[in-house]
Amino acid sequence: MSAHPGKSFIHANALVVGEKGLLLRGPSGSGKSALTLALIAQARQTNNYACLVADDRVQIEAVNGRLIARPHAKIAGLIEARGLGLITLPHLEACVLHALIDLAPPDQPPKRLPEESDKTAQLMGIELPRLVIAANDWMAPTLINYFIQ
């Protein structure tokens, strides 16, 4: 947690896909960085826009009823590619978050059809649409299609 009131650092990734800011949460090793890289690559292949905001540590702040995500200053523009190490990508300094994606642990796959209570979550008192997914290779094209509408 950050010492700044109204701001908090969380273990997550943030990126923009199309015009939507996404926050990816999950335990270490759940595939947040791999999914972030896959989303950026898939967007480029389909002539859509995607850009990294933050990998691993995301500062979130509630501002005028919206959640703003920013990278941690020491690791801005860096993302871990498992097996390769840290790589540098173009990144945005901030984005408005439009949705939360929780990565399900491998031993607890997500439900086929989510219940209404699972479709939203609150962060810092602000409600966001929420998806619970498994981080799979085939999930990036599905998410690109879901968020670029």
Side-chain angles (χ1 to χ4, degrees), residues 15-22 39-44 46-53 92 94-96 98 140 143-149:
L15 73 154
V16 172
V17 173
E19 296 179 1
K20 298 197 169 89
L22 308 179
L39 286 165
I40 292 169
Q42 179 68 31
R44 287 181 183 162
T46 57
N47 296 317
N48 288 299
Y49 177 80
C51 190
L52 175 69
V53 175
L92 299 173
C95 75
V96 174
H98 294 91
L143 289 173
I144 293 291
N145 287 327
Y146 186 81
F147 286 108
I148 297 179
Q149 300 178 23

Side-chain angles (χ1 to χ4, degrees), residues 6-79:
K7 296 180 183 179
S8 178
F9 277 101
I10 62 171
H11 183 74
N13 279 24
L15 73 154
V16 172
V17 173
E19 296 179 1
K20 298 197 169 89
L22 308 179
L23 185 68
L24 280 61
R25 291 191 307 189
S28 185
S30 64
K32 295 180 299 297
S33 297
L35 182 56
T36 299
L37 289 166
L39 286 165
I40 292 169
Q42 179 68 31
R44 287 181 183 162
Q45 288 176 358
T46 57
N47 296 317
N48 288 299
Y49 177 80
C51 190
L52 175 69
V53 175
D55 179 57
D56 194 47
R57 294 194 64 205
V58 180
Q59 177 186 311
I60 58 171
E61 178 181 15
V63 177
N64 297 324
R66 301 185 307 172
L67 277 177
I68 308 298
R70 293 184 175 86
H72 189 283
K74 290 185 179 180
I75 55 175
L78 298 176
I79 187 166

Side-chain angles (χ1 to χ4, degrees), residues 110-139:
K111 299 171 189 171
R112 286 185 70 194
L113 298 173
E115 297 176 24
E116 283 302 313
S117 61
D118 293 332
K119 291 183 178 181
T120 61
Q122 281 207 4
L123 291 172
M124 302 185 83
I126 297 173
E127 191 171 279
L128 289 176
R130 176 180 180 243
L131 297 174
V132 179
I133 65 165
N136 297 314
D137 292 342
W138 51 265
M139 191 46 86

